[in-house]
């Protein structure tokens, strides 16, 4: 195997990684992030040496964060604080808008993002300390907005479980988004919290096609099991929602109505959608995936995206980044609204309670003199 150092090129043009080495992964390459001066690309030297390399395996790195709650001031999202128990995501969704964040770590938004994962050790203790601060004011915490809190490594490390235990103990409101049926493991915590008006859970369903999901979200729970999770959560009294996200033009857009209908039948009573977002390196990764799996739709998909993003593949402007603009984006929005209204999805969002919050003992509190 040889290596080549060169200036950054697009993932659609540069060499990828053999399918044997990336079995069970969505990204077709492991190109360096945008902050790296050099790019390292695997090249077959003619001796078939690439095929002799072992497949990519999941590598876990432990880190101890000084803070856990992330703040934001984005006007087009409904929360101002969130928690991400992990960095990177083993689900490996090829379209994931969080992939470019791995570049900040000097890693690739490609295969590194789904195979080199970071676990936040001591997350529960860190959260407890932040919640105990006298200045802390409770508002809904969003979990799962960047990477999935119930991705496969959660089974072993139980970071999300520990975080949820602190939130349950302190009666802190939380909204969870996931693609995993592993959320059902925590029903013993979620059901009592739901009875107090402290939690709701959204399951993201991109497609009902099992084979498409396997190619696009290789290590995420199957669509059928996500719908089953909605049903079991609802039966346990946990308010559930479905996120038709992302809607991929020319690939999954025809499924909007069917996904909403199946989710409503399973018990979801809120719904949302997001038009495919492709920031930074995600554009080349997704383009490579399209060429591999849907070469006949390649031009159509990218053309529809550009028509919805002012001629670009992505527009980060607030108010546009989630839903796009233009005739095609308008049509997607109207289809979603009409289907939701017809099925009976509520237009108003469930408001979780913050008035039950109990500040935890410990942290940086001043000791009593008596």
């Amino acid at each position: 195997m040889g290596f080549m150092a060169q200036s950054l090129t697009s993932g659609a043009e540069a060499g990828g990684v053999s399918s044997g080495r990336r079995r069970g992964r969505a990204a077709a390459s492991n190109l360096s992030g945008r902050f790296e001066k050099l790019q390292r690309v695997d090249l077959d030297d003619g001796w078939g040496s690439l095929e002799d390399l072992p497949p990519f395996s999941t590598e876990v790195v432990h880190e101890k964060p000084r803070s856990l709650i992330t703040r934001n001031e984005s006007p087009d999202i409904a929360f101002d604080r969130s928690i991400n128990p992990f960095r990177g995501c083993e689900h490996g969704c090829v379209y994931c808008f969080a992939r470019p964040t791995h570049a900040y770590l000097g890693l690739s938004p490609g295969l590194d993002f789904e195979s080199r994962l970071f676990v936040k050790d001591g997350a529960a203790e860190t959260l407890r300390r932040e919640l105990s601060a006298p200045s802390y004011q409770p508002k809904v915490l969003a979990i799962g907005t960047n990477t999935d809190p119930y991705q496969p490594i959660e089974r072993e490390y139980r970071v999300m479980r520990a975080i949820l235990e602190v939130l349950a103990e302190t009666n802190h409101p939380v909204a969870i988004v996931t693609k995993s049926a592993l959320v059902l493991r925590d029903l013993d915590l979620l059901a009592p919290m739901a009875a107090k008006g402290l939690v709701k859970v959204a399951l993201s369903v991109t497609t009902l096609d099992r084979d498409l999901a396997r190619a696009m979200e290789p290590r995420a729970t199957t669509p059928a099991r996500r719908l089953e999770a909605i049903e079991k959560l609802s039966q346990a009294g946990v308010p559930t929602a479905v996120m038709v996200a992302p809607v991929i033009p020319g690939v999954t857009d025809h499924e909007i109505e069917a996904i909403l209908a199946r989710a409503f039948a399973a018990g979801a009573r809120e719904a949302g959608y997001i038009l495919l977002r492709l920031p930074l390196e995600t554009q080349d990764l997704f383009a490579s995936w399209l060429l591999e799996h849907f070469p006949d739709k390649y031009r159509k998909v990218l053309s529809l995206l550009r028509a919805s993003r002012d001629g670009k593949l992505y527009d980060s402007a607030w108010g546009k980044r989630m839903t796009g603009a233009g005739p095609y984006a308008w049509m997607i929005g109207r289809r979603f609204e009409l289907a939701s209204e017809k099925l009976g999805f509520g237009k108003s969002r469930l408001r979780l309670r913050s008035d039950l919050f109990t500040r935890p003992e410990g942290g940086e509190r001043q000791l009593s003199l008596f």
Side-chain angles (χ1 to χ4, degrees):
M1 180 184 70
F3 291 102
M4 177 177 66
Q6 61 183 42
S7 60
L8 292 178
T9 59
S10 75
E13 298 170 351
V17 179
S18 64
S19 59
R21 287 195 65 204
R22 60 182 182 87
R23 186 174 294 111
R25 307 291 182 177
S29 66
N30 206 34
L31 300 180
S32 302
R34 61 193 178 280
F35 300 115
E36 308 307 305
K37 294 181 179 179
L38 299 176
Q39 182 187 69
R40 183 162 288 188
V41 181
D42 292 350
L43 294 177
D44 195 327
D45 55 13
W47 293 92
S49 53
L50 286 181
E51 297 299 332
D52 295 334
L53 293 173
F56 280 87
S57 59
T58 300
E59 175 186 341
V60 176
V61 177
H62 295 265
E63 61 178 359
K64 192 171 181 63
R66 290 192 294 180
S67 63
L68 199 65
I69 300 175
T70 301
R71 309 279 180 160
N72 77 81
E73 298 179 354
S74 301
D76 55 356
I77 53 180
F79 57 88
D80 69 350
R81 62 197 70 184
S82 61
I83 290 177
N84 290 291
F86 307 103
R87 292 204 276 182
C89 188
E90 198 174 1
H91 282 164
C93 304
V94 69
Y95 51 73
C96 182
F97 65 85
R99 282 182 176 273
T101 60
H102 245 44
Y104 293 113
L105 306 174
L107 298 174
S108 171
L111 287 163
D112 280 347
F113 178 80
E114 51 195 277
S115 63
R116 299 186 66 177
L117 312 177
F118 291 75
V119 174
K120 297 183 179 180
D121 289 341
E125 292 78 10
T126 302
L127 177 60
R128 185 183 297 277
R129 185 180 68 247
E130 291 183 81
L131 297 185
S132 69
S135 60
Y136 181 80
Q137 296 297 318
K139 287 186 179 180
V140 176
L141 267 169
I143 306 183
T145 58
N146 203 41
T147 58
D148 202 307
Y150 287 105
Q151 59 181 282
I153 60 171
E154 166 64 14
R155 291 187 177 90
E156 177 180 355
Y157 295 102
R158 300 173 69 86
V159 182
M160 178 59 179
R161 172 76 185 190
I163 290 171
L164 205 54
E165 287 173 344
V166 173
L167 297 178
E169 174 192 334
T170 58
N171 289 323
H172 196 294
V174 59
I176 301 168
V177 180
T178 182
K179 283 188 175 74
S180 177
L182 182 58
V183 66
L184 296 175
R185 178 202 64 188
D186 294 337
L187 262 179
D188 61 316
L189 296 172
L190 295 172
M193 292 181 73
K196 298 178 182 179
L198 296 173
V199 67
K200 58 182 175 179
V201 178
L203 271 293
S204 176
V205 181
T206 314
T207 178
L208 298 174
D209 186 325
R210 181 188 178 100
D211 293 334
L212 175 57
R214 180 66 180 270
M216 190 165 54
E217 310 156 340
R219 300 197 176 194
T221 297
T222 63
R225 290 193 62 206
R226 292 181 222 178
L227 292 168
E228 182 183 345
I230 290 176
E231 183 175 15
K232 291 184 176 179
L233 286 165
S234 300
Q235 290 174 348
V238 179
T240 57
V242 61
M243 290 297 300
V244 186
V247 175
I248 303 177
V251 178
T252 66
D253 51 359
H254 65 284
E255 297 189 72
I256 293 173
E257 291 83 0
I259 292 172
L260 288 172
R262 292 282 299 276
F264 188 85
R269 290 299 177 265
E270 291 184 11
Y273 82 98
I274 298 175
L275 189 64
L276 178 65
R277 299 169 57 191
L278 294 177
L280 302 168
E281 293 95 339
T282 315
Q283 296 178 10
D284 291 333
L285 291 166
F286 183 75
S288 296
W289 181 86
L290 269 180
L291 280 174
E292 179 179 355
H293 295 277
F294 294 99
D296 57 326
K297 295 184 177 182
Y298 178 81
R299 294 182 182 277
K300 174 185 178 181
V301 173
L302 297 187
S303 176
L304 288 173
L305 276 176
R306 289 192 175 96
S308 305
R309 303 289 187 187
D310 293 327
K312 300 173 288 187
L313 286 180
Y314 183 57
D315 185 354
S316 61
W318 288 334
K320 293 183 179 180
R321 57 178 182 158
M322 302 293 188
T323 58
Y328 174 80
W330 181 88
M331 178 193 69
I332 293 297
R334 299 299 78 72
R335 281 177 54 195
F336 175 85
E337 290 175 358
L338 288 172
S340 298
E341 183 178 356
K342 181 178 179 180
L343 289 165
F345 279 103
K347 292 185 177 180
S348 60
R349 301 290 183 180
L350 173 66
R351 295 180 62 88
L352 300 178
R353 299 184 64 178
S354 299
D355 59 308
L356 300 178
F357 175 68
T358 303
R359 201 175 307 278
E361 296 292 334
E364 301 176 355
R365 301 184 66 182
Q366 183 174 344
L367 296 178
S368 172
L369 296 176
F370 303 100

